[in-house]
């Protein structure tokens, strides 16, 4: 995880940076653990094992992300994460763990 020492932006930017780093880490993990799968059934099993494994290895990070998704408010008072996989606190077009775009 990159150092946030000297981070001079506001709370929303800090949270966005943390969410983006978490997504990048999850994406790396999922890619590493699913790339060898051949066929849809094996790919699904690999995906589930990789995701469950990541959650088990990083419970604190996942609780923090869930807190952001459920509780953090954007500057306009709306949720920063709307449940439709669109993170308002992330950069548009950033890859989400499910392979879609976080902002698109």
């Amino acid at each position: 995880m990159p150092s946030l020492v000297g981070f001079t932006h506001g709370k929303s930017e800090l949270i966005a940076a943390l969410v983006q780093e978490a997504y990048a880490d999850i994406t790396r993990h999922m890619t590493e653990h699913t790339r060898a799968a051949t066929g849809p059934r094996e790919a699904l099993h690999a995906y589930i094992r990789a995701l469950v494994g990541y959650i088990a290895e990083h419970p604190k990070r996942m609780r923090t992300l869930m807190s952001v998704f459920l509780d953090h408010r954007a500057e306009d008072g709306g949720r920063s994460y709307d449940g439709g996989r669109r993170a308002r606190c992330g950069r548009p077009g950033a890859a989400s763990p499910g392979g879609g775009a976080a902002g698109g």
Side-chain angles (χ1 to χ4, degrees):
M1 184 170 226
S3 172
L4 295 173
V5 174
F7 193 86
T8 59
H9 301 287
K11 180 179 177 182
S12 290
E13 291 84 5
L14 174 61
I15 289 173
L18 292 171
V19 169
Q20 287 175 327
E21 177 56 32
Y23 275 7
D25 190 50
I26 292 167
T27 299
R28 280 188 298 271
H29 177 87
M30 297 301 291
T31 300
E32 184 178 303
H33 288 86
T34 59
R35 81 169 50 130
T38 58
R41 184 181 189 109
E42 187 177 331
L44 177 60
H45 289 167
Y47 180 88
I48 292 169
R49 282 191 304 272
L51 185 56
V52 170
Y54 186 88
I55 292 168
E57 292 171 20
H58 304 281
K60 194 173 194 179
R61 173 175 273 183
M62 298 309 290
R63 281 193 303 274
T64 301
L65 283 174
M66 188 56 64
S67 177
V68 167
F69 296 156
L70 295 175
D71 300 327
H72 179 66
R73 299 290 177 186
E75 291 177 18
D76 65 3
R79 289 191 178 267
S80 60
Y81 182 80
D82 67 10
R85 300 183 69 131
R86 295 176 188 219
R88 293 174 57 191
C89 64
R91 78 178 190 280
S96 69

